[in-house]
C-alpha cells in the first residue's frame, strides 16, 4: 500500500502548525551603517550557497540590533529564501546556525509542527517547485519573491512519520556529500599551507640555516623565532616535531641571498616576474562554432579549486584553456571574493572556453599547475592584483601588465618543484575522485527526490538503490 499525500500550500501548512512566512528587515530598520566587524552573523542572499549558509564574507550586526529586531533571528529548521535574483536559492538552518539573523533581501519560513523541515527543504528543491517559483516571481529583469508568493507554493504532504522517513533517505546523500566537501576542503587547505611554507615563508631553508648555525636575515627573524619556538615545544613533547624528512630537507639550501626585487630569498633560487615564469593567457586555437566545455564566472569557487556547473556550448569567443590550467578572476568583485579554479575536467587534447572575465595561467619549464594553484591562492599575490586593477569603479579589471611587477622565488633545480607538484597532484587526485563521487550521488538524489515526494517510488525501493551505489 502506497503513502497517502495531502495537497496543501506552504502558507496553509505553516499556519496550521504555528509557523509563519515573513520578510527580512527593511532598509529603514537596518541601515548600512549598522553593520559591525563582529557580532551576530547576518544571512544575506549572497550567503545562501548550495542549500546552506556560507559564512565567507558574511556581514554582522550588533547584539543590540539583533534583539531590537528579534523576530528575524533564525532557529534550527527554518528556511531562508533569497527575495530577489535567483529566487530558487534557499538555505535550511541547522543547529549550529541557530541565533543568526535573517537579513535584508531574504524571506524567513518557519515550517511549524506539521511538516518536517528537512522534508520541506527537499520538497522545495523539487523541479516542479523550482519551476513554479520562477514562473510566479514578480519582475521581468529581476525576479522578486514576497510572502504571498511563497505562501501559495503547492506541496504534497504525507503524514509526519513518512515525511521524516523520506527526509532520512535523501539525507544519506547529503551526509556523504558534506563529508566529501569537508575532505576536499581539508586537502585544499593542506596544499595551500604547504605552498606558503615552502615558497613564501621558506620554512625548510630557515630550519636548515638554524641547524647549520648560519645567520638569519633580519627580515626573516620573526619567522625564524616562530620555528625556534616550535622546535623547542617539540623537544618537550608538547607538539609534533616540525619540518621534513632528511631526504626532503636536503633539497633546500641552508642560507639566503639578497635580491633587488624580493629582498632575501633562498640561495641559488630564481627570482622572476610572474609574466616570465608562468604563461599568462597562452594562445590556444578553437574554431568558432566548435562545441566545447564552457565555464562561466558563477561556476568558479571562492575557496578551493573545484569548478562546478560545466556545460557544453558552441564557441563564440572568450578565454580558452586546457587541462590543468588555472583560472583567476580578473574583475571586481570576483577577484576580491577569491574566485579561482583549476581545470581538471578536460582530456589532454581538449580545449575549453569561458568568460573573458578570468585570466588563464599555465605552467612553464619546471613550474607546474600545483605551484600556480598555490600562487593564485596566495594572499600577497591576490592583493597585488587587486591593487593594480584599472578601469572605472565597479568594473575594474586586472591587466596582463600586472604580472610584470610581481616577483616570485622558485628553485633553479626541478626537484623541489617536482616534489611539490607530486604532492599537490596526490591531493588533487583525491579531490577529483571525491568530486566525481559527489556528482554521481547528487544526480541520484535529484532523480529520487521527485519520485519519493510524489509517491511514485516507495522508501524500500529507494533504500535499495542507495545501498547499491554506496556499496
Amino acid at each position: 500500500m502506497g503513502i497517502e499525500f495531502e495537497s496543501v500550500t506552504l502558507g496553509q501548512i505553516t499556519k496550521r502548525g504555528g509557523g509563519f512566512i515573513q520578510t527580512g528587515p527593511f532598509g529603514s530598520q537596518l541601515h548600512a551603517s549598522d553593520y559591525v566587524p563582529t557580532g551576530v552573523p547576518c544571512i544575506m542572499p549572497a550567503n545562501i550557497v548550495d542549500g546552506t549558509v556560507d559564512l565567507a564574507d558574511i556581514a554582522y550586526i550588533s547584539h543590540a540590533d539583533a534583539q531590537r529586531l528579534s523576530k528575524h533571528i533564525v532557529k534550527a529548521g527554518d528556511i531562508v529564501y533569497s527575495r530577489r535574483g535567483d529566487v530558487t536559492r534557499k538555505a535550511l538552518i541547522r543547529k549550529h546556525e541557530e541565533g543568526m539573523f535573517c537579513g535584508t533581501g531574504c524571506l524567513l519560513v518557519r515550517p511549524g509542527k506539521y511538516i518536517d523541515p528537512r522534508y520541506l527543504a527537499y520538497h522545495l528543491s523539487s523541479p516542479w517547485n523550482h519551476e513554479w517559483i520562477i514562473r510566479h516571481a514578480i519582475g521581468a529583469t529581476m525576479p522578486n519573491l514576497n510572502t504571498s508568493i511563497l505562501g501559495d507554493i503547492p506541496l504534497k504532504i504525507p503524514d509526519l512519520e513518512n515525511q521524516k522517513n523520506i527526509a532520512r533517505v535523501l539525507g544519506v546523500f547529503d551526509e556523504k556529500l558534506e563529508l566529501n566537501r569537508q575532505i576536499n576542503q581539508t586537502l585544499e587547505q593542506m596544499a595551500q599551507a604547504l605552498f606558503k611554507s615552502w615558497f613564501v615563508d621558506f620554512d625548510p631553508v630557515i630550519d636548515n640555516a638554524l641547524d647549520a648555525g648560519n645567520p638569519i636575515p633580519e627580515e626573516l627573524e620573526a619567522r625564524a623565532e616562530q620555528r625556534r619556538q616550535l622546535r623547542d615545544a617539540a623537544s618537550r613533547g608538547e607538539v609534533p616535531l616540525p619540518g621534513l624528512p632528511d631526504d626532503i630537507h636536503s633539497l633546500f639550501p641552508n642560507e639566503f641571498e639578497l635580491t633587488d626585487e624580493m629582498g632575501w630569498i633562498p640561495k641559488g633560487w630564481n627570482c622572476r616576474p610572474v609574466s616570465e615564469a608562468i604563461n599568462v593567457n597562452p594562445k590556444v586555437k578553437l574554431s568558432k562554432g566548435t562545441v566545447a566545455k564552457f565555464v562561466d564566472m558563477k561556476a568558479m569557487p571562492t575557496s578551493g579549486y573545484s569548478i562546478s556547473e560545466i556545460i557544453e556550448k558552441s564557441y563564440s569567443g572568450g578565454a580558452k584553456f586546457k587541462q590543468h590550467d588555472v583560472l583567476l578572476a580578473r574583475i571586481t568583485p570576483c577577484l576580491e571574493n577569491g574566485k579561482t579554479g583549476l581545470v581538471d575536467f578536460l582530456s589532454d587534447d581538449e580545449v575549453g572556453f569561458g568568460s573573458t572575465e578570468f585570466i588563464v595561467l599555465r605552467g612553464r619549464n619546471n613550474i607546474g599547475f600545483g605551484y600556480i594553484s598555490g600562487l593564485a591562492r596566495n594572499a600577497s599575490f591576490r592583493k597585488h592584483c587587486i591593487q593594480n586593477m584599472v578601469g572605472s569603479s565597479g568594473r575594474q579589471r586586472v591587466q596582463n601588465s600586472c604580472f610584470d611587477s610581481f616577483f616570485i622565488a622558485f628553485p633553479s633545480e626541478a626537484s623541489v618543484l617536482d616534489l611539490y607538484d607530486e604532492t599537490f597532484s596526490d591531493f588533487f587526485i583525491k579531490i577529483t575522485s571525491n568530486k566525481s563521487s559527489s556528482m554521481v550521488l547528487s544526480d541520484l538524489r535529484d532523480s529520487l527526490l521527485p519520485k519519493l515526494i510524489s509517491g511514485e517510488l516507495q522508501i524500500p525501493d529507494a533504500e535499495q538503490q542507495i545501498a547499491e551505489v554506496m556499496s
Side-chain angles (χ1 to χ4, degrees), residues 49-153:
V49 180
D50 296 332
T52 61
V53 176
D54 185 355
L55 296 179
D57 300 318
I58 198 164
Y60 296 89
I61 61 172
S62 68
H63 290 278
D65 279 335
Q67 287 304 311
R68 175 172 62 86
L69 301 167
S70 60
K71 72 174 187 176
H72 300 291
I73 295 176
V74 302
K75 295 181 177 180
D78 287 352
I79 294 174
V80 177
Y81 257 96
S82 171
R83 191 155 55 91
R84 62 179 69 92
D86 181 0
V87 291
T88 66
R89 183 187 294 183
K90 62 195 167 300
L92 175 65
I93 301 301
R94 297 164 292 182
K95 189 67 178 176
H96 66 273
E97 293 154 350
E98 191 166 59
M100 293 185 182
F101 191 83
C102 176
T104 303
C106 292
L107 292 158
L108 176 61
V109 178
R110 185 152 295 162
K113 63 182 180 181
Y114 289 126
I115 185 165
D116 179 73
R118 287 208 303 167
Y119 175 85
L120 176 59
Y122 285 124
H123 199 310
L124 294 171
S125 299
S126 63
W128 61 78
N129 272 160
H130 276 186
E131 187 276 332
W132 190 96
I133 290 172
I134 293 169
R135 183 156 40 90
H136 287 81
I138 302 170
T141 57
M142 175 66 78
N144 281 261
L145 292 180
N146 56 40
T147 56
S148 178
I149 294 171
L150 275 189
D152 288 339
I153 294 175

Side-chain angles (χ1 to χ4, degrees), residues 390-404:
V390 300
S392 59
S393 176
R395 292 298 296 174
Q396 293 178 308
R397 297 167 65 88
V398 175
Q399 302 298 306
N400 286 8
S401 58
C402 167
F403 304 106
D404 295 334

Side-chain angles (χ1 to χ4, degrees), residues 21 44 80 129 144 187 250 264 282 321 363 407 451:
I21 304 171
M44 304 291 196
V80 177
N129 272 160
N144 281 261
L187 291 170
S250 65
W264 294 96
F321 50 78
F407 286 78
K451 295 178 182 178

Side-chain angles (χ1 to χ4, degrees), residues 458-465:
Q458 300 302 304
I459 290 174
D461 297 327
E463 289 177 326
Q464 182 177 349
Q465 292 187 39

Side-chain angles (χ1 to χ4, degrees), residues 167-178:
R168 173 182 55 79
V169 170
L170 294 171
V172 171
F173 293 103
D174 288 337
E175 289 169 5
K176 177 59 176 173
L177 290 169
E178 176 62 16

